[in-house]
Amino acid sequence: MKMTNDLIHFGLLGTTGKELLPSDIPPFLHVTLEKIKASQNDTEDGFYKIAAALFTCCRSGAEPVSRPEVQALPEALPEEKAYLSVAKARLLSDLLQNNNISLLLYGYDCTIRQNQLLPPGCLPDMLSHAFEKGNPNAYEEKKRLSQLIGNRGNWYLQRQGLQCLEEEKELPWDTSTHAQRRALLRDIRLRDPQKALEMLCGEWKNESAQHRAELLECFEVRLSVADEVFITEAYKADRSETVRNTALSLLQRLPESQVVRFYWDTLKEHLRYRRFFGWSVTAIEYSEELKKYGIAEISHNKGESDSDYILRQLCESVPLAFWCELFDCDRAKAAERLRENPPFAKYFTVSRPVLRFNDREWAFILSQKTSQINYAYIPLLTPAQREQLNFNNTSVEGIHPDRSWFGGAGEPWGVNFSTHVLKMILGARFFYQDKETSELLAFHIPPEMKRHLLALEQKYADDAHGRAEYCRRIRQYMEIKNELEK
């Protein structure tokens, strides 16, 4: 403290003719101060350098690295973009401090769209968080910050011995951890599936069996026929059973794959439908080919024969196009007929092929004209489709919005679906304040529902479990979202 006071007094006096002689200097700093005095231009220049050295010592307590002469740091290059306003930068810092990561990432996106940079003052905390070990959002944060920190930010990273974020645009596969590679591969699959395929092909043999399986799982993002050759090769030739099972699972999701075509052709030989007479089934024997393509032999249901079990698995593994051909009708009628009169009705589950093939239209057809909505279909439906559903008689007991219900930030829901989700959350027998969900809701609840949220606050004003506070928080997050967009 005495040393700091000496600096302050000397600075206030502004005496350039006197030499700064602070007291209580640690012994290891004497050599450093002598070097500064020897290289100073004048006493004022020396004062600033000595003050910087003493301040650094007080903050870190570390002995300075011994060098033959004082090392000058290069200056950061000037910026070409304007800085974000102080108010918005402070708002982003508050979001980081309060761990509102979804809003923080959205704020980064808004700043990128506005073609601005983050002010230097808020960079240390934001970069420290992005580089924090174990941060699950590190990849997403770094990807955005690479466009926001500018020359000063990268200058700061170099001083900290960290990699410049601009370099991360070069896709450093070789130096990335496995978790980073998975995140990277998923991200590229969203933007350019073919590029992601080429990346994995180039590194496939260098990965361990477990890592190959986990990287292959990323192909569920925008899975297409273009991936079939590579996945089929992994299924046939890979020595790891885990990899082969992962590959088979992906092939089973491709309606055009040879695996699904095998299911289709086999089922067609053993299943018939006649309009007025119903289903006609021919028994099937288990074979090595059925086993090869993932069909089990023995049913766990006592009332189901093994032959029926095999055929039911095939029924649950073919796309809606198969039923259109079998019923000789369009997709809407085929979906309705299958729902009303499925084969092996006691055990058949129509949601399995719907979810396996991510068939949005099929899910929407089944969600209409029903008293009970299958919430597993919700992630498949667009906001417009969800808005057309009738939730009046649908039970919400034990249901909580899954993260998969939320699409990209800024994609609004309709009033009907938003009202139902709020009813689901607030009406739960065991209510808890899930901050992450309330944050995501702020992105999707339409602005015209602010009055409804205010009414819910008043309704639950005396609730001891914080329902009113939950509604208030959603409104607050909606206001923050609007501020970030300005």
Side-chain angles (χ1 to χ4, degrees):
M1 181 61 71
K2 182 81 167 58
M3 182 170 59
T4 306
N5 288 336
D6 290 342
L7 286 173
I8 295 172
H9 292 157
F10 192 89
L12 289 174
L13 288 173
T15 306
T16 59
K18 291 185 178 181
E19 184 180 2
L20 174 61
L21 296 172
S23 55
D24 297 337
I25 300 176
F28 59 75
L29 271 183
H30 284 291
V31 177
T32 301
L33 296 187
E34 290 302 322
K35 288 181 180 179
I36 291 175
K37 291 177 183 178
S39 63
Q40 67 185 22
N41 297 326
D42 50 43
T43 52
E44 185 176 7
D45 177 62
F47 166 69
Y48 290 132
K49 290 178 179 179
I50 291 172
L54 295 177
F55 177 77
T56 303
C57 177
C58 289
R59 290 293 298 271
S60 66
E63 184 174 353
V65 177
S66 178
R67 294 183 181 275
E69 52 189 43
V70 177
Q71 184 181 22
L73 294 178
E75 294 184 3
L77 296 174
E79 305 291 3
E80 297 178 359
K81 297 179 182 179
Y83 287 122
L84 190 67
S85 68
V86 175
K88 282 191 179 179
R90 188 180 299 117
L91 178 57
L92 290 178
S93 297
D94 290 342
L95 293 174
L96 176 63
Q97 185 70 25
N98 293 314
N99 203 33
N100 296 118
I101 302 302
S102 294
L103 281 166
L104 177 67
L105 294 176
Y106 185 70
Y108 288 164
D109 290 335
C110 290
T111 308
I112 292 170
R113 287 195 295 270
Q114 293 159 6
N115 199 32
Q116 294 179 317
L117 298 175
L118 295 173
C122 64
L123 291 180
D125 288 341
M126 292 178 177
L127 288 170
S128 296
H129 187 267
F131 281 88
E132 187 176 292
K133 188 175 180 179
N135 177 6
N137 301 291
Y139 177 76
E140 293 297 327
E141 291 179 36
K142 290 179 183 178
K143 182 174 69 173
R144 291 163 172 81
L145 286 171
S146 66
Q147 304 176 61
L148 294 172
I149 62 174
N151 295 324
R152 290 194 177 184
N154 280 309
W155 177 91
Y156 172 79
L157 288 176
Q158 289 177 344
R159 306 285 76 76
Q160 300 299 314
L162 299 171
Q163 185 180 25
C164 292
L165 290 180
E166 287 184 349
E167 296 173 10
E168 301 221 349
K169 296 179 182 178
E170 300 298 323
L171 307 176
W173 185 275
D174 294 338
T175 58
S176 298
T177 65
H178 176 62
Q180 290 172 334
R181 290 181 181 183
R182 290 181 63 188
L184 180 63
L185 198 61
R186 281 186 172 273
D187 182 60
I188 298 175
R189 285 290 299 182
L190 286 170
R191 296 183 281 107
D192 190 346
Q194 184 59 33
K195 184 176 181 179
L197 175 60
E198 293 169 359
M199 281 182 60
L200 188 56
C201 286
E203 298 293 335
W204 182 252
K205 293 181 180 180
N206 300 328
E207 300 288 343
S208 66
Q210 186 61 38
H211 285 182
R212 290 200 303 275
E214 292 175 0
L215 291 171
L216 193 59
E217 287 176 355
C218 299
F219 276 58
E220 66 184 7
V221 178
R222 297 187 66 180
L223 181 67
S224 70
V225 182
D227 305 315
E228 184 180 2
V229 174
F230 175 75
I231 298 173
T232 301
E233 181 64 23
Y235 170 61
K236 290 181 178 179
D238 202 281
R239 292 174 296 176
S240 167
E241 184 179 359
T242 304
V243 175
R244 293 198 301 271
N245 290 339
T246 302
L248 178 59
S249 174
L250 290 171
L251 292 171
Q252 289 172 332
R253 301 182 193 184
L254 270 175
E256 306 89 351
S257 72
Q258 292 181 4
V259 172
V260 174
R261 191 71 232 182
F262 168 77
Y263 297 153
W264 184 309
D265 294 338
T266 305
L267 189 58
K268 198 173 178 181
E269 293 176 5
H270 295 271
L271 189 67
R272 298 283 187 277
Y273 177 80
R274 290 181 293 176
R275 183 76 181 271
F276 299 104
F277 299 96
W279 296 103
S280 174
V281 179
T282 305
I284 185 172
E285 293 292 331
Y286 195 66
S287 65
E288 284 298 319
E289 199 167 16
L290 287 167
K291 181 180 180 180
K292 172 184 173 182
Y293 288 122
I295 302 299
E297 179 182 7
I298 300 174
S299 173
H300 297 291
N301 302 309
K302 293 183 178 180
E304 184 179 37
S305 69
D306 292 342
S307 175
D308 285 357
Y309 175 54
I310 293 169
L311 291 172
R312 176 170 65 83
Q313 291 177 82
L314 294 172
C315 288
E316 294 173 346
S317 303
V318 291
L320 185 55
F322 173 86
W323 304 106
C324 292
E325 181 180 301
L326 192 69
F327 292 130
D328 190 23
C329 60
D330 61 26
R331 288 172 61 86
K333 289 182 180 178
E336 286 289 348
R337 287 183 184 177
L338 186 63
R339 173 169 60 180
E340 293 170 1
N341 183 24
F344 316 107
K346 187 175 181 180
Y347 300 107
F348 178 77
T349 306
V350 70
S351 63
R352 287 176 182 166
V354 174
L355 298 174
R356 171 174 285 179
F357 296 110
N358 287 326
D359 195 321
R360 175 174 291 167
E361 183 184 0
W362 197 354
F364 182 56
I365 293 168
L366 295 178
S367 299
Q368 294 177 304
K369 302 176 184 178
T370 179
S371 58
Q372 287 295 321
I373 303 295
N374 187 337
Y375 287 105
Y377 297 154
I378 294 296
L380 298 179
L381 304 179
T382 65
Q385 289 173 330
R386 298 176 192 180
E387 197 64 8
Q388 298 178 49
L389 303 183
N390 181 9
F391 296 101
N392 292 335
N393 300 317
T394 302
S395 172
V396 297
E397 184 65 31
I399 303 296
H400 191 271
D402 186 81
R403 192 179 178 91
S404 62
W405 292 20
F406 303 94
E411 184 181 13
W413 294 342
V415 172
N416 176 40
F417 183 67
S418 300
T419 303
H420 180 69
V421 171
L422 288 172
K423 176 183 176 183
M424 179 189 302
I425 295 172
L426 298 173
R429 182 182 303 176
F430 302 104
F431 172 79
Y432 64 97
Q433 295 198 41
D434 181 2
K435 186 171 77 169
E436 182 182 16
T437 301
S438 63
E439 205 172 329
L440 292 171
L441 285 170
F443 289 118
H444 297 86
I445 293 178
E448 56 266 31
M449 287 195 64
K450 288 181 181 178
R451 290 186 179 180
H452 180 66
L453 285 166
L454 188 58
L456 289 173
E457 284 184 54
Q458 297 170 352
K459 175 182 177 181
Y460 293 108
D462 298 327
D463 179 69
H465 300 286
R467 288 177 171 84
E469 171 61 22
Y470 191 80
C471 295
R472 187 198 64 77
R473 184 188 298 162
I474 295 174
R475 283 199 307 112
Q476 179 186 20
Y477 289 161
M478 291 173 73
E479 293 295 337
I480 291 175
K481 176 178 175 288
N482 290 339
E483 286 297 319
L484 294 172
E485 292 172 346
K486 291 179 180 178

